[in-house]
Every structure is written in structure tokens, then in C-alpha cells.
Amino acid sequence: MTAKSYNFSHALCRLPARSSVDGLRAVDTGAPDFETFVAHHNDYVALLRETGAHVTVLEPLEAFPDSVFVEDDALCLQEGAVLMRPGAPSRLGEVAEMAPHLDALYEEVVRMDGDGFIEGGDILTAEREILIGLSARTDQAGVDEFRRVVDRWGYTVRVVETPPGVLHFKTDCSLLDEETILSTKRLAASGCFDTYRVIHTADGEEACANAIRFNEFVIMPAGFPKTREALERSGYDVREVGNSEAAKLDGGMSCLSLRFSPSS
Ligand code: CIR
């Protein structure tokens, strides 16, 4: 049986724009190096393709410095796609740029058009439920509107808290399989994964919590050997990608793609 939460036939990415040097960041550790960012992005796309997935790479959008982080613009489920309403004002316009690509792939694309905010980085689609972390980017009104959409498609939504000071819920966790989550200790301590098996990021390696399970691979940022070892010991086929430049903009593995299997 294939798991719909991590077996995907498609992914959609967008090349980093040169303007990514102006992307949002919580702490300024210097601007990303554009050429290195593009090289890492190419490596990431190549890994997704290695699993046999069909990966579309969209042209860069100079008007939107954070547009490489496509995950925040939409959530793609089998039944349809939901266009988000980012809580970062500079990112709101990215969604209209994403819309035609999803319209071409899905029969049903729902636009979030209420007063609330929600970003894809706060949404963890697990096999049996969708977890959403309230954060500085995602508020209750956004969650309520989103819930009304996915209720129709039969999904259960559980609202949880993103730890203070953490950008997105998934900055601190990733789905590994139907029953297993990779999480920082600080997030798991909230109890939100008590019904799952949890693999903790190693102490000092919290920055690798944002990984992805994509078909047979667990794709994680390079440079976190203790956590990698723990994942391999648990039987996962781990692949690493350089993430130094996206990390300067608080981005990780999940942010760089929309992953899906459209039913049509
Ligand atoms: C932002 O602050 O919106 C971007 N610089 C980073 C977005 C990362 N996206 C994600 O975690 N899903």
C-alpha cells in the first residue's frame, strides 16, 4: 500500500531569484550567495527526480525575494489544492503567481480569501491527520478557513502551537512515515506528537529538523551527522543536500517544493 503522505508522483519548485539576497530572515547572518543557492537547488531537484517523480521547476520571480520557498504558497492534497494566504505581507503576491500552475494540474483549487493568514510551512500532512501550528504567520482565522475546505475532503485537522521564536511549525519537525516524526526536543516536549513514534534531532542539530520524506528518501540538510546516523539506524534511506544559503533565510528542505500526486 502506498502512503499518500509521503509517496508522490509530482513536485513543483521555483528557482531562487537574484533578489533572494533580500529575503526575509529572523536574524541576519549575511545574504545568501546566489550561485551556491542555485547549485544547492539543482541538487535538491535532482534528488526528487531520482525517485522517479515528475518535477517542474518554475522560473525565478525577481519581484518576490522569498518565492523559492514555494511550500508556503499552497497545500496540495489528492482531492485538490489550497492556495494559502501568507502572513508575511511581502509574500502575499506569490500566491497569484502559483495559482495558474495548480489550476493546470487540479480540477479543484480553492483560494483562501478570508481575513486570516496561513502558510504551508505551518502545515504537516500526516497519514491520519493534518497538524497545523499557530505561529507568527498562521492565525486561528486562517486555520478555520482552511479547515472548512479540507473537512469536505474528509481530513481531520489538529491545531497545535509552533514554539515561540520558531518561524514555522515544520521548522522544527518532519514526517518520516505513517507513524514516525523527526522533531526537535523543544517541539516534542509540547506533547503534540504523543501518538507518534518520535526521533529527536541530536542536541545542537536542531536546524536539521526540517527534512522531507519523499518516496524512498529522507532528504535532509547536509552537516548534521548525529541526526543522520539516528535516521539511518532506524532504517531510512537518507540523502543530504547543501542548505547553507536557504538557511540564511530560515528555509529548509520542505520549503523548497510542493509535493503531490494529483488524482486527475
Ligand atoms: C520567510 O521568512 O518566509 C522565508 N525567508 C523562509 C520561508 C521558509 N519556509 C518554510 O519554512 N516553509
Side-chain angles (χ1 to χ4, degrees):
M1 207 183 89
T2 60
K4 63 182 180 181
S5 55
Y6 61 85
N7 286 121
F8 303 108
S9 58
H10 288 65
L12 211 153
C13 302
R14 187 184 289 286
L15 279 165
R18 286 193 177 273
S19 62
S20 60
V21 294
D22 298 320
L24 298 171
R25 65 207 78 171
V27 178
D28 196 357
T29 58
D33 176 77
F34 177 70
E35 309 299 336
T36 310
F37 201 171
V38 170
H40 288 166
H41 195 268
N42 287 343
D43 293 344
Y44 177 87
V45 169
L47 267 180
L48 300 182
R49 285 188 174 140
E50 207 179 312
T51 72
H54 181 274
V55 184
T56 304
V57 181
L58 304 174
E59 290 302 306
L61 287 176
E62 294 301 337
F64 298 102
D66 287 295
S67 55
V68 63
F69 303 119
V70 286
E71 172 180 69
D72 296 318
D73 300 336
L75 187 81
C76 296
L77 297 167
Q78 270 179 350
E79 297 78 2
V82 186
L83 287 163
M84 296 290 139
R85 191 154 185 275
S90 66
R91 303 200 57 192
L92 267 172
E94 288 175 26
V95 176
E97 301 283 347
M98 181 56 72
H101 303 288
L102 297 182
D103 284 335
L105 284 159
Y106 278 98
E107 264 171 38
E108 189 165 10
V109 179
V110 183
R111 283 142 175 88
M112 301 282 297
D113 58 6
D115 294 332
F117 296 101
I118 184 163
E119 296 191 358
D122 283 315
I123 306 178
L124 181 75
T125 307
E127 198 66 21
R128 50 184 140 110
E129 60 180 348
I130 297 178
L131 287 98
I132 309 183
L134 296 170
S135 73
R137 301 286 183 86
T138 293
D139 62 14
Q140 189 63 51
V143 171
D144 291 344
E145 187 180 355
F146 175 85
R147 189 200 291 268
R148 284 194 291 276
V149 176
V150 299
D151 262 2
R152 286 198 280 122
W153 296 335
Y155 290 90
T156 303
V157 169
R158 181 153 62 97
V159 182
V160 292
E161 294 286 336
T162 300
V166 173
L167 174 61
H168 286 128
F169 183 61
K170 279 191 297 188
T171 306
D172 265 30
C173 66
S174 322
L175 183 84
L176 294 173
D177 61 35
E178 292 90 329
E179 299 301 330
T180 318
I181 306 279
L182 173 68
S183 175
T184 59
K185 289 182 182 164
R186 70 184 162 204
L187 176 58
S190 72
C192 64
F193 301 129
D194 281 358
T195 58
Y196 291 86
R197 187 163 71 102
V198 175
I199 297 178
H200 290 124
T201 52
D203 292 341
E205 294 191 352
E206 290 75 11
C208 73
N210 182 273
I212 52 170
R213 174 74 190 268
F214 190 83
N215 298 325
E216 66 269 34
F217 295 157
V218 170
I219 304 178
M220 66 181 290
F224 301 92
K226 293 189 202 131
T227 307
R228 178 178 182 149
E229 198 191 316
L231 291 168
E232 287 181 331
R233 239 185 291 119
S234 295
Y236 296 103
D237 186 352
V238 179
R239 304 300 163 109
E240 289 188 359
V241 183
N243 191 54
S244 54
E245 308 315 297
K248 291 174 187 165
L249 305 177
D250 307 324
M253 296 293 106
S254 76
C255 328
L256 297 173
S257 58
L258 291 172
R259 303 164 291 281
F260 56 102
S261 307
S263 51
S264 54

